[in-house]
Amino acid sequence: MSEQPPVLIVGAGALGKLWAARLSGSNPQFLYRPQHSAGMTRYQRLDLAGHSHHHAIPGSPTLELGCPPTAVLVTTKAMDARSALEPLINVLPPTVPVVLFQNGMGSQQAIASRWPDHPILAASTTEGANCPDRNTLVQAGRGETWLGGLTEAGKAIAASMAARLHTDDSPVHHAPDILYRLWQKLAVNAGINPYTAILACRNGDILQAPLFQGTIQPLCQEVSALMTAEGYPGDPTELEARIRQVATATANNLSSMRQDVMAERATEIDFINGFIVTQSIHHGLPVPVNQMLVAQVKQLTHQ
Ligand code: PAF
């Protein structure tokens, strides 16, 4: 392995492979699950123009302590992020930035409060990529990423971290209030992902479905009431317009939740509509639509 200190990527799924490709000049390395043996992850990346690029990224199930990483990017599913970090973070030098890329909310806050002295940051991205098979990464759309600190140490380095990860092709912006960005993305995911899972359809198809048409307004009112209670602006009409706009713009996409159901994997429902339910109950706000969506999605995957 190279002498240059690595950027460690925890989670070798589509997002992890995308960042590994992007950071190919910064010695990216994967941290695998404990049962995985050390070795190269080889894959072909099809870029937006359909051109093929080949990548071979080294990885190991253990951290090479002789050469600590310059940063850790966590690109696992929300439910795996904390347990993936648990064995790692206590052996990391406490100055190494940890950037969380999870969907939804809840996992990021849990990690920041578990390790408040580490520079923990969260990212919200609109990058689209998927893996039709283990050896292929397809870039589905040009996107942008916003990044901000969750802990004090994270806030102190957020602007320089954003600049470090930025490229003209894939902009990375510093977002001093990253939680607001996460709320906005959460609202969109809450209004698209469970419908695509329950209706077994692509993002655009939800717009014509009676389930969506009959519940999207009260769903946006529930999300708006919660955002207001948490101190963030969230007008229900604007939230609905944004959900419709993203569903239209990504009409042919299979949402991440739909893909999880198709692959019989656990979904991130607890970190999307489930997070809205838990937080709303905490504020004494009723959330019947979100509760119904959580229950129906859980039935699909027996979660
Ligand atoms: O989770 C997803 O799939 C995406 O965030 C979105 C915006 C719903 C598009 O597919």
Side-chain angles (χ1 to χ4, degrees), residues 103 185 188-189 192-193 203 246 250 253-257 259:
N103 262 338
K185 181 143 192 258
V188 169
N189 285 134
I192 296 179
N193 295 31
N203 292 358
V246 175
T250 61
N253 287 15
L254 292 171
S255 79
S256 49
M257 196 172 285
Q259 290 181 46

Side-chain angles (χ1 to χ4, degrees), residues 138-263:
V138 179
Q139 286 184 258
R142 199 178 293 279
E144 296 180 73
T145 300
W146 287 266
L147 184 146
L150 295 177
T151 58
E152 286 310 313
K155 287 177 187 164
I157 55 153
S160 63
M161 194 68 205
R164 210 173 126 194
L165 296 176
H166 174 88
T167 62
D168 287 343
D169 273 355
S170 305
V172 179
H173 313 281
H174 175 214
D177 194 353
I178 189 64
L179 286 177
Y180 182 42
R181 288 266 164 202
L182 294 177
W183 274 108
Q184 288 174 312
K185 181 143 192 258
L186 179 81
V188 169
N189 285 134
I192 296 179
N193 295 31
Y195 292 102
T196 61
I198 296 162
L199 298 163
C201 68
R202 290 181 185 268
N203 292 358
D205 300 333
I206 63 173
L207 297 169
Q208 312 308 327
L211 174 69
F212 178 85
Q213 290 176 345
T215 55
I216 192 62
Q217 262 186 26
L219 177 110
C220 289
Q221 277 154 2
E222 291 176 10
V223 177
S224 163
L226 176 59
M227 287 180 72
T228 307
E230 293 272 333
Y232 293 100
D235 175 70
T237 315
E238 280 173 23
L239 291 180
E240 185 179 338
R242 177 92 186 114
I243 289 165
R244 288 179 182 276
Q245 183 208 333
V246 175
T248 305
T250 61
N252 283 325
N253 287 15
L254 292 171
S255 79
S256 49
M257 196 172 285
R258 170 79 182 119
Q259 290 181 46
D260 287 338
V261 172
M262 287 168 78

Side-chain angles (χ1 to χ4, degrees), residues 32-298:
Y32 298 139
R33 291 163 197 257
Q35 60 272 27
H36 205 298
S37 46
M40 291 285 179
T41 293
R42 294 176 199 280
Y43 55 99
Q44 166 190 220
R45 173 173 59 92
L46 296 174
D47 69 18
L48 292 170
H51 298 140
S52 169
H53 308 261
H54 290 271
H55 298 280
I57 309 293
S60 159
T62 50
L63 181 66
E64 305 286 328
L65 285 173
C67 196
T70 56
V72 177
L73 310 189
V74 184
T75 55
T76 64
K77 291 275 185 190
M79 51 281 207
D80 300 326
R82 186 172 155 171
S83 58
L85 270 178
E86 198 80 47
L88 171 67
I89 204 151
N90 292 327
V91 295
L92 270 185
T95 50
V96 175
V98 176
V99 187
L100 307 172
F101 280 85
Q102 282 57 54
N103 262 338
M105 284 177 84
S107 68
Q108 303 91 333
Q109 292 95 324
I111 288 170
S113 49
R114 171 84 176 78
W115 293 290
D117 299 330
H118 283 257
I120 309 277
L121 301 94
S124 174
T125 185
T126 58
E127 296 278 3
N130 58 74
C131 290
D133 60 67
R134 289 182 71 233
N135 305 318
T136 311
L137 174 74
V138 179
Q139 286 184 258
R142 199 178 293 279
E144 296 180 73
T145 300
W146 287 266
L147 184 146
L150 295 177
T151 58
E152 286 310 313
K155 287 177 187 164
I157 55 153
S160 63
M161 194 68 205
R164 210 173 126 194
L165 296 176
H166 174 88
T167 62
D168 287 343
D169 273 355
S170 305
V172 179
H173 313 281
H174 175 214
D177 194 353
I178 189 64
L179 286 177
Y180 182 42
R181 288 266 164 202
L182 294 177
W183 274 108
Q184 288 174 312
K185 181 143 192 258
L186 179 81
V188 169
N189 285 134
I192 296 179
N193 295 31
Y195 292 102
T196 61
I198 296 162
L199 298 163
C201 68
R202 290 181 185 268
N203 292 358
D205 300 333
I206 63 173
L207 297 169
Q208 312 308 327
L211 174 69
F212 178 85
Q213 290 176 345
T215 55
I216 192 62
Q217 262 186 26
L219 177 110
C220 289
Q221 277 154 2
E222 291 176 10
V223 177
S224 163
L226 176 59
M227 287 180 72
T228 307
E230 293 272 333
Y232 293 100
D235 175 70
T237 315
E238 280 173 23
L239 291 180
E240 185 179 338
R242 177 92 186 114
I243 289 165
R244 288 179 182 276
Q245 183 208 333
V246 175
T248 305
T250 61
N252 283 325
N253 287 15
L254 292 171
S255 79
S256 49
M257 196 172 285
R258 170 79 182 119
Q259 290 181 46
D260 287 338
V261 172
M262 287 168 78
E264 298 181 3
R265 290 189 293 256
T267 71
E268 294 180 310
I269 192 73
D270 283 338
F271 300 89
I272 301 178
N273 304 80
F275 177 80
I276 293 167
V277 169
T278 320
Q279 297 304 304
S280 298
I281 290 172
H282 177 73
H283 286 287
L285 297 166
V287 267
V289 175
N290 278 287
Q291 282 172 318
M292 175 274 292
L293 293 172
V294 171
Q296 289 204 22
V297 170
K298 288 199 169 194

